[in-house]
Amino acid sequence: MEYRDTPPIRFLGIGLVVLILMVGLVTWINLARPWLGVRFEPTSAGAVEIAAIARQSPLAREAMGATVVQIAAGGATGGAADGASVPLIATDLTDEPDKLITYEAYNDFLARQGRLAGVLAAPEVTLVLADGRALTVQPLPKRPLADLPLGYWIQIGAGTIGILVAGWVLALRPNDLAARYLMLTAVALALAAFTAATYSSRELAWPAAAFYRLSSLNSLGTLSFGGGMIGVFSYYRSALLPHWVMPPILLVICLLTLAHVTQVMPNISIGLHAMIVGLLVAILVAIGEQYRRSRGDPVARAGVRWIGQSFLIGVGGCVAIISTPPLLGVESIFDQSLAFGFLIVLFVGIAIGVARHRLFDLEGWSFSLLFYLSAAFVFLGLDALFLYVLTLDRVPALALALFAVAFLYLPVRDWLWRRLMTPAETENDALMFRLAAVAFATGPKERQSEWGTLWRDWFQPMRVEVLEAPIPVTPKVAAGGGELLVPGLGDLPGLRLIWKRKGRRLFSPRDAETVERLIRLLTGLSETRDSYQRGVLEERSRISRDMHDNIGIQLLGALHSGEPARKDGMIREALAELRVIVSGDLPGQTGEMGQAGDVLGELRHELGEVLAAAGVVLDWRSTPEADRCSLPSAQALALRAVMREAVSNVLAHAGATRVDVRTTTRDGGIHLSFEDDGKGPAIGAVAAPNRGNGLKNMRSRMESLGGKFLESHRESPQSPAGMRLEFSLPSAASGGAA
Amino acid sequence: MQILVLEDIPETRDWLIRILAKAFGADLTIEAAATRADGLARVRKSVFDLALIDLGLPDGDGLDVLRALKITQPETLTIVTTILADDAYIVAALSAGAEGYLLKDQPEDVLIHQLRQQRDGVPALSPRIARRIMEHFRFTASPDDDASLLTDREAEVLGLIGRGFRNADVANDLGLTENTVAGYIKAVYRKLNISSRAEASWHANRLGLLWKR
């Protein structure tokens, strides 16, 4: 059974081709016989009459219904003078010599067959009728295909379907003992069916030696069928016997068959039919035992019951027809081919059972194999039909025929082939998206489902199973290429992919490498996702820090402030801060530093609006160096706070009309000067204690960042009035980042 | 003066009405609405000279009311009022045809000053919004469509505003009058509006307003 270097569909395909050749060969053997074109039927009186005459028959139509007494070789002129003349009796028409009970009757039958075959082989044959007429005809050299009776095709069909079903199961379960014995059963059935089909659908006779061989092979097939069935039910679903027991049993069956065909046995009833019944009993015992053992496992029990019933209906019907009457010493009234019809029931039942009860652990997906296989053979059939039509001269002109081939048949065939037989290839980019979909799936559930989809799309396996421990560390090809084991990744489970490309390919080491590469890619993608998520988390924690440091403190200050104007100011500040955070526009928010020009621009606008509303002019000038100066967010926040404080001081106390702001750089750090033309510090400091408090705040704010704060008078030519504040901050520690 | 105030917080609504009275005197007819639906109903019924529109309303987006106004009453001066809206949202409002916007957390006198300025045709533009608008044009403008491109002067004005210059500073710096600077800013608003007009008419269709014209 070393077929595992081929994928199941090829295994099945090759088997099917062999099977079709076999059917062709058997049919050809049946057709290559001299033919009278007559259907003989036994009469109730034990005579033989002409029941039908074929259209092509050389026999005159008026012979219809006549009783044939004897047939003779040569012309009718000399009567039966040349000696090669054989009287016809009803027994000569029997479809199964095994019905004859005794070996004497059997041997006598064979001898008569030999003589009849000899007569029929002559160039001219004379039929002597009961009314004295003698009809001389020349047998045709070949029997036409259409003349083969329905029974022939039923028998051929039984053998074929059995092998198909068993081959299908075996292709998918190559290591299953029961599947192997099912295959043996099917082969035995085919042997019995094909040989029986050959001799039971003969027109009148086969040569004795050939008949004996066919009949012996038929017995071998019949008894091996029983032996195979014992094997099936010994191992399905539980193993009733050790593995080594079955081969000797089969050997014994072969020896008993030999005893039967060499006629060592007392008679056919004992040599064959009693054996068949014995095997049947053994099988029933095995089924009963299987049924008993499946107690407590409803799925197993349903499976055993189903296959057991299929067997009882199929084989029971068959045995009842073939073997029971001879055992009872009476002749069977049924046509043997009907018995084979029952065996079709058995195998079709098994196929249905696979779908309904997961017989042999197969499931619905396994039918796709049958589908592809039958589609392939539909194509073969189409091709054959087309060639047949072309060669029949029924197409008027060759040119027309070629035209039809080129423009109709080939394109349609190609289209159909692609539709049915080529699985939709997923584009590489689409597969890459699948990879990304796994890495960026939102939840673990989605991730796992995308993970399965990835491999389903990539290899189109018939089936995907989640691997139980132990999960391999690296991808592995298993079951001789039938399976690919994919290791897990993080929370993603290890998977077993079964039968690549719906059973049309085997997994190769290259596939394992591909899996390894994809998993590496996926790991990289997952890391990217992780670092992105880390970024999101950092951003979130930054926002919450900002919320706490800036907004929380502002609001707390507002809550505890007794002064309404200051409370309002702090709440406004908090809202402005919140807007900045929401807009994601905070300077230096991702660790970078803002440019002073941009950061202070916002402040400049805000203060300008506030001062303009109070009728105070703001003159703000900055040097290009100062605009380009980098400003960490802590410095920006501090400058904003002190400048707001300064403006609110001016509006509250100074009675100023203009404010001048200059931004420059000093030692690489930012330097701001703030002047108003109001009442000046001396008066203000005394008059308003809050204002002094504000100045203290400014100083501590600057110094906490290593900066400086200076408070002085405005340098003005007119008067010493007005206040001048100076804020300088050290150069950003990280140097010249822009 | 016929004014619509669309604002869902009652205290803020009353406060806005007080501010409007202080800014524009007593001769005002003010209709207040608290929901998008109410706002749309009032836009269908009355004609307004000025509308203050809050963007985040309990039953939907104030932008819908703004669009309805711009379709049925294009002469109305519409000002978006907001507190925490993302800058991008304000740019969207300007694209939808708003003439200006106000941040509701500013001191009363600042708001009054800005309201008066906007009534007088001086558009408001903060540095951050100016920068957003420049970004908007960088990403959306197509070189084939002149109407969607900023002129050099407009870009220059936006650039200075982006650095905190007020209109007077810009005028000073570029040697222009304040009126000219205001004209440039309005031109920028118009171009924002053009780039989103197709979208606006789609919205109007959806609201069943077009047939009214």
Side-chain angles (χ1 to χ4, degrees):
Chain A
M1 295 231 172
E2 237 352 284
Y3 48 77
R4 270 196 280 130
D5 49 345
T6 57
I9 193 142
R10 198 178 305 161
F11 166 80
L12 262 186
I14 292 170
L16 195 50
V17 168
V18 171
L19 190 62
I20 286 174
L21 289 178
M22 285 295 296
V23 171
L25 181 69
V26 169
T27 305
W28 179 81
I29 288 174
N30 275 287
L31 297 182
R33 303 278 305 147
W35 185 58
L36 296 174
V38 175
R39 186 151 62 78
F40 297 101
E41 294 248 316
T43 66
S44 47
V48 172
E49 68 173 21
I50 295 175
I53 298 173
R55 191 167 48 81
Q56 309 96 314
S57 170
L59 195 65
R61 218 128 304 263
E62 66 261 26
M64 189 75 175
T67 302
V68 183
V69 184
Q70 63 175 0
I71 68 170
T77 43
D82 32 359
S85 150
V86 186
L88 264 185
I89 55 174
T91 313
D92 294 329
L93 300 180
T94 188
D95 58 345
E96 178 55 75
D98 294 339
K99 289 177 181 172
L100 294 177
I101 303 176
T102 65
Y103 287 119
E104 292 72 36
Y106 176 86
N107 292 338
D108 183 49
F109 168 80
L110 280 189
R112 294 179 51 76
Q113 281 285 307
R115 299 217 308 274
L116 285 171
V119 168
L120 289 173
E124 279 195 330
V125 174
T126 302
L127 303 182
V128 180
L129 305 182
D131 55 14
R133 278 185 290 165
L135 305 175
T136 301
V137 291
Q138 294 173 332
L140 296 177
K142 277 185 72 178
R143 184 177 191 182
L145 189 64
D147 191 57
L148 289 174
L150 179 66
Y152 176 82
W153 297 114
I154 290 178
Q155 285 160 312
I156 294 289
T160 309
I161 288 171
I163 286 195
L164 264 184
V165 171
W168 168 56
V169 172
L170 184 64
L172 296 171
R173 304 279 304 171
N175 295 319
D176 189 319
L177 263 185
R180 292 180 181 185
Y181 284 115
L182 187 68
M183 189 71 212
L184 173 66
T185 308
V187 170
L189 169 63
L191 184 65
F194 286 6
T195 49
T198 299
Y199 59 70
S200 63
S201 54
R202 69 194 187 280
E203 185 178 36
L204 193 57
W206 269 95
F211 208 127
Y212 173 71
R213 265 181 244 122
L214 286 171
S215 172
S216 301
L217 284 175
N218 176 261
S219 299
L220 178 66
T222 307
L223 295 175
S224 312
F225 175 87
M229 269 293 158
I230 292 178
V232 170
F233 287 109
S234 296
Y235 300 109
Y236 186 85
R237 292 185 54 120
S238 358
L240 302 181
L241 301 172
H243 290 187
W244 55 266
V245 176
M246 259 327 279
I249 290 180
L250 291 175
L251 185 67
V252 168
I253 289 173
C254 285
L255 290 175
L256 287 171
T257 309
L258 193 66
H260 162 60
V261 302
T262 52
Q263 306 185 352
V264 175
M265 295 304 222
N267 57 43
I268 297 182
S269 287
I270 294 170
L272 184 66
H273 301 292
M275 282 270 303
I276 290 174
V277 173
L279 287 171
L280 184 61
V281 169
I283 294 166
L284 290 177
V285 168
I287 291 177
E289 179 62 14
Q290 289 287 1
Y291 190 74
R292 197 182 63 76
R293 288 201 188 185
S294 66
R295 192 178 41 215
D297 180 354
V299 178
R301 176 154 279 201
V304 170
R305 188 186 295 140
W306 181 267
I307 196 171
Q309 279 170 358
S310 300
F311 178 83
L312 284 183
I313 294 171
V315 176
C318 184
V319 169
I321 287 173
I322 296 180
S323 291
T324 317
L327 276 179
L328 300 177
V330 298
E331 274 223 18
S332 168
I333 51 162
F334 293 106
D335 194 44
Q336 169 167 269
S337 60
L338 188 64
F340 285 95
F342 277 101
L343 293 177
I344 294 181
V345 172
L346 166 61
F347 280 95
V348 170
I350 288 174
I352 294 172
V354 166
R356 284 194 43 184
H357 300 290
R358 302 185 182 182
L359 293 186
F360 300 97
D361 291 327
L362 299 177
E363 288 170 44
W365 50 265
S366 36
F367 279 93
S368 62
L369 190 66
L370 277 189
F371 169 76
Y372 285 121
L373 197 67
S374 34
F377 278 88
V378 165
F379 279 104
L380 279 183
L382 273 182
D383 289 351
L385 186 71
F386 199 81
L387 281 176
Y388 177 69
V389 171
L390 271 190
T391 52
L392 269 188
D393 270 358
R394 289 191 188 152
V395 182
L398 187 65
L400 190 65
L402 286 177
F403 179 83
V405 171
F407 289 98
L408 293 174
Y409 181 67
L410 288 183
V412 168
R413 182 191 188 283
D414 184 56
W415 179 77
L416 268 179
W417 178 267
R418 266 186 283 117
R419 284 295 300 274
L420 290 177
M421 303 305 285
T422 327
E425 288 277 353
T426 319
E427 294 293 321
N428 263 348
D429 335 10
L431 292 173
M432 284 300 159
F433 272 119
R434 287 253 161 276
L435 210 58
V438 179
F440 293 102
T442 42
K445 229 190 200 152
E446 289 81 357
R447 243 160 86 73
Q448 286 174 13
S449 122
E450 292 289 352
W451 170 250
T453 312
L454 168 68
W455 300 118
R456 249 178 231 117
D457 282 6
W458 205 287
F459 292 114
Q460 303 172 347
M462 268 194 164
R463 187 165 175 225
V464 177
E465 284 173 1
V466 172
L467 274 179
E468 308 293 330
I471 295 163
V473 187
T474 53
K476 240 185 234 132
V477 176
E483 296 176 358
L484 182 64
L485 309 182
V486 177
L489 178 65
D491 57 340
L492 300 170
L495 296 178
R496 182 198 307 277
L497 313 180
I498 301 168
W499 298 125
K500 185 183 174 185
R501 301 276 306 275
K502 305 279 176 221
R504 270 171 287 170
R505 296 278 186 282
L506 288 176
F507 288 108
S508 65
R510 271 193 57 196
D511 291 330
E513 281 165 26
T514 305
V515 170
E516 204 162 4
R517 210 177 64 239
L518 289 177
I519 286 181
R520 259 203 313 277
L521 268 171
L522 196 55
T523 313
L525 278 176
S526 301
E527 276 164 11
T528 309
R529 182 207 54 195
D530 290 348
S531 73
Y532 170 78
Q533 278 177 343
R534 258 200 310 282
V536 169
L537 283 181
E538 275 167 17
E539 173 77 359
R540 198 172 294 158
S541 77
R542 182 196 66 78
I543 288 175
S544 77
R545 207 170 49 237
D546 282 347
M547 293 284 230
H548 175 265
D549 289 0
N550 301 325
I551 295 168
I553 287 173
Q554 299 270 16
L555 289 178
L556 203 61
L559 185 66
H560 296 150
S561 170
E563 202 185 319
R566 184 151 176 79
K567 202 188 267 277
D568 286 359
M570 291 179 110
I571 290 175
R572 274 192 199 103
E573 189 114 337
L575 284 169
E577 207 75 61
L578 198 54
R579 188 160 50 240
V580 168
I581 292 171
V582 167
S583 295
D585 217 17
L586 200 71
Q589 62 165 260
T590 47
E592 291 165 22
M593 281 178 287
Q595 257 189 313
D598 289 343
V599 177
L600 295 180
E602 194 67 34
L603 181 63
R604 174 180 177 172
H605 175 83
E606 179 192 323
L607 299 182
E609 288 291 307
V610 172
L611 287 168
V616 180
V617 173
L618 171 65
D619 182 21
W620 181 314
R621 290 179 201 175
S622 54
T623 61
E625 294 79 39
D627 278 348
R628 279 198 302 273
C629 182
S630 46
L631 204 56
S633 64
Q635 291 194 357
L637 287 173
L639 282 180
R640 199 157 67 197
V642 297
M643 293 291 278
R644 278 177 181 158
E645 182 91 45
V647 165
S648 65
N649 278 348
V650 166
L651 292 183
H653 313 292
T657 60
R658 65 174 289 131
V659 166
D660 294 272
V661 176
R662 300 287 176 271
T663 63
T664 51
T665 50
R666 248 176 222 182
D667 305 325
I670 193 105
H671 177 88
L672 257 84
S673 72
F674 181 101
E675 283 183 2
D676 68 69
D677 62 350
K679 283 173 260 169
I683 307 155
V686 176
N690 278 338
R691 190 177 175 192
N693 207 12
L695 294 178
K696 228 189 289 170
N697 279 346
M698 292 184 200
R699 181 179 304 281
S700 72
R701 194 97 203 227
M702 284 295 109
E703 285 173 353
S704 73
L705 291 174
K708 284 192 193 107
F709 172 71
L710 277 177
E711 176 196 0
S712 61
H713 288 282
R714 179 171 184 246
E715 292 161 20
S716 162
Q718 296 117 23
S719 69
M723 169 172 263
R724 178 183 170 85
L725 305 173
E726 287 180 67
F727 312 96
S728 38
L729 285 165
S731 162
S734 55
Chain B
M1 199 151 112
Q2 196 82 18
I3 302 179
L4 171 67
V5 175
L6 184 56
E7 169 65 57
D8 58 323
I9 304 171
E11 289 79 10
T12 309
R13 191 164 59 230
D14 295 345
W15 176 75
L16 278 175
I17 291 170
R18 274 204 311 277
I19 285 181
L20 281 168
K22 278 187 195 167
F24 301 133
D27 186 22
L28 304 176
T29 318
I30 297 179
E31 286 189 35
T35 61
R36 170 182 169 276
D38 194 11
L40 284 172
R42 284 175 194 280
V43 166
R44 279 199 203 98
K45 257 184 271 157
S46 319
V47 175
F48 298 101
D49 301 305
L50 171 67
L52 298 190
I53 294 173
D54 185 22
L55 291 180
L57 295 169
D59 62 338
D61 196 337
L63 270 184
D64 291 340
V65 180
L66 172 62
R67 291 194 184 98
L69 257 178
K70 280 291 124 185
I71 304 251
T72 56
Q73 310 177 25
E75 299 306 315
T76 310
L77 180 68
T78 49
I79 296 176
V80 168
T81 61
T82 173
I83 178 99
L84 284 176
D86 195 323
D87 296 342
Y89 212 31
I90 291 176
V91 174
L94 294 176
S95 302
E99 269 82 14
Y101 62 92
L102 294 173
L103 298 179
K104 282 180 284 191
D105 61 329
Q106 299 192 78
E108 220 171 278
D109 38 358
V110 172
L111 278 179
I112 290 170
H113 177 71
Q114 288 180 342
L115 267 174
R116 283 182 183 147
Q117 280 210 310
Q118 294 190 15
R119 180 201 50 192
D120 297 342
V122 181
L125 192 55
S126 81
R128 208 161 49 220
I129 303 297
R131 289 203 295 271
R132 285 280 176 168
I133 291 176
M134 289 207 287
E135 248 171 66
H136 173 89
F137 277 102
R138 226 185 348 264
F139 288 125
T140 61
S142 82
D144 306 328
D145 184 8
D146 280 350
S148 69
L149 286 176
L150 293 179
T151 65
D152 289 349
R153 246 307 141 70
E154 286 160 1
E156 212 169 2
V157 168
L158 275 184
L160 287 176
I161 292 175
R163 285 170 52 204
F165 282 52
R166 302 176 62 246
N167 292 4
D169 301 334
V170 175
N172 230 352
D173 203 78
L174 298 178
L176 305 168
T177 66
E178 276 196 52
N179 272 342
T180 317
V181 172
Y184 282 129
I185 297 176
K186 284 183 195 163
V188 169
Y189 281 12
R190 256 197 315 280
K191 287 181 178 180
L192 270 178
N193 192 213
I194 287 171
S195 70
S196 62
R197 192 158 292 161
E199 193 196 354
S201 67
W202 179 83
H203 278 283
N205 260 330
R206 195 175 55 124
L207 296 170
L209 288 166
L210 271 185
W211 55 269
K212 283 202 85 173
R213 294 216 67 191

